[in-house]
Amino acid sequence: MALFASSVFPLPLFKSNSDPYRLFSTKKGFNLGFQKLKTRRLHRTKVVVHFAMFSENPLIGDLIATAFSGGIALSMLRLWEETAKRGVFDQKTNRKLVHISIGLVFMLCWPMFSSGQQGAILAAFIPGLNIIKMLLLGLGIWKDDATVKSMSRFGDHRELLKGPLYYAFSITYACAIYWRYSPISIGLICNLCAGDGIADIVGRRFGKQKLPYNKNKSFAGSIAMAAAGFLASLGFLLYFSLLGYIQVSSKTVLGFLFMSLAAALVESHPLSSELDDNLTVPLTSVLGKGSNMPSNF
């Protein structure tokens, strides 16, 4: 798996020496890429939001953040396992609700970690554990019917060796390599979670008009995927920009639009169904970034 990742995904330079907490300001105000908001001139201000506040040792703070974030992710999984057990949603909808929520909720927890590679690696440890869990469940070494039911299409534990495993690997990769300072990690996770998840739900309900090149996909589903992935990317871009991790620019917004459209197009292709869209969508988000993202990311 590691050899696969290193050969397919490009590795960016990790900016460990940068100051991620600096608010982007100018003499005339904040530059958000679209307009300058008139404010008083601000000196460099640090936004301390990570759990290092509980300890003078950043490592201890990151360990607390890991435990807290892991608890949130586990609680979300338990919630969807219970809805699957009780039949609150049909199995396909329940699986897609897991798909949409886990990655996005996990990304909301990123500001709790410290800056630099230590915070990224400890944060990635959470979905990394899920990779091991998917392997154990998929191989039949560990029995957990509730998890299998909430994450599989047909209740077969071997399904977890494909889509759910690719899903966990993609989020782990985005977190460990690109982290919260890169639009690529935002676009990858938002297209994978919000885009792909919403596409299935909308497509099954309103997808009467099928695509000419793939009768299993619909215009409604593909449009919903592009829209949901793009809007979620913009939401997280604003979220991280307000905390000073990333700066909004028109080029970044256009880059997100390109990534979402490309991901929706690839997801609708018949080959994507054969390989699994939990693999093809992240690959498209990374490889399709090209010159559409700011060069410093």
Side-chain angles (χ1 to χ4, degrees):
M1 185 67 72
L3 291 174
F4 172 80
S6 61
S7 62
V8 175
F9 292 104
L11 299 180
L13 294 175
F14 200 98
K15 300 186 176 183
S16 58
N17 294 327
S18 62
D19 182 4
Y21 299 109
R22 181 173 59 83
L23 291 177
F24 297 97
S25 60
T26 65
K27 292 182 179 180
K28 296 183 180 180
F30 292 103
N31 183 2
L32 298 181
F34 306 107
Q35 60 181 342
K36 291 185 178 180
L37 304 177
K38 293 182 179 180
T39 62
R40 291 180 302 172
R41 179 177 179 179
L42 297 180
H43 298 288
R44 285 190 175 186
T45 307
K46 299 221 173 182
V47 183
V48 181
V49 292
H50 53 79
F51 272 120
M53 68 179 73
F54 294 121
S55 173
E56 294 180 359
N57 188 335
L59 177 59
I60 299 299
D62 281 335
L63 290 175
I64 296 172
T66 301
F68 192 80
S69 301
I72 293 174
L74 182 61
S75 298
M76 289 294 299
L77 285 173
R78 293 300 182 197
L79 170 65
W80 299 126
E81 287 171 9
E82 281 300 314
T83 58
K85 276 183 185 178
R86 300 171 186 273
V88 177
F89 307 104
D90 64 83
Q91 190 164 345
K92 288 183 178 179
T93 301
N94 198 92
R95 184 173 62 87
K96 283 302 175 181
L97 289 174
V98 175
H99 187 98
I100 294 168
S101 61
I102 297 299
L104 298 181
V105 169
F106 171 61
M107 194 157 53
L108 286 173
C109 296
W110 285 4
M112 293 190 291
F113 293 85
S114 66
S115 61
Q117 195 167 13
Q118 175 183 286
I121 296 301
L122 285 174
F125 179 74
I126 298 167
L129 284 178
N130 211 37
I131 294 175
I132 299 172
K133 183 179 181 180
M134 294 303 102
L135 288 171
L136 294 176
L137 289 172
L139 294 171
I141 299 172
W142 181 11
K143 304 292 183 182
D144 187 342
D145 292 337
T147 298
V148 172
K149 189 175 181 180
S150 68
M151 293 187 176
S152 62
R153 286 183 173 91
F154 307 108
D156 187 346
H157 66 87
R158 290 171 295 184
E159 294 180 58
L160 273 60
L161 294 175
K162 292 190 69 178
L165 180 62
Y166 300 149
Y167 178 92
F169 175 78
S170 297
I171 293 177
T172 303
Y173 175 84
C175 180
I177 302 301
Y178 292 105
W179 197 210
R180 63 194 178 201
Y181 313 123
S182 172
I184 299 170
S185 62
I186 297 173
L188 187 157
I189 294 177
C190 288
N191 284 308
L192 173 63
C193 298
D196 186 40
I198 293 295
D200 182 80
I201 294 174
V202 172
R204 281 190 287 112
R205 290 196 175 189
F206 308 105
K208 294 181 180 180
Q209 190 172 0
K210 303 300 181 180
L211 296 173
Y213 56 89
N214 188 350
K215 298 303 180 182
N216 294 320
K217 301 291 182 179
S218 66
F219 282 101
S222 295
I223 292 170
M225 177 172 180
F230 178 61
L231 292 175
S233 297
L234 290 185
F236 275 94
L237 177 63
L238 272 177
Y239 174 60
F240 287 128
S241 70
L242 289 174
L243 296 173
Y245 302 137
I246 192 171
Q247 192 170 20
V248 181
S249 70
S250 56
K251 189 173 183 180
T252 305
V253 173
L254 289 174
F256 280 140
L257 179 60
F258 176 83
M259 289 172 70
S260 297
L261 290 173
L265 183 62
V266 168
E267 190 270 346
S268 69
H269 195 278
L271 182 61
S272 188
S273 298
E274 293 180 21
L275 294 176
D276 199 288
D277 47 25
N278 284 339
L279 178 63
T280 57
V281 169
L283 276 171
T284 304
S285 298
V286 173
L287 299 179
K289 72 184 189 304
S291 60
N292 295 284
M293 288 297 179
S295 59
N296 60 328
F297 292 114

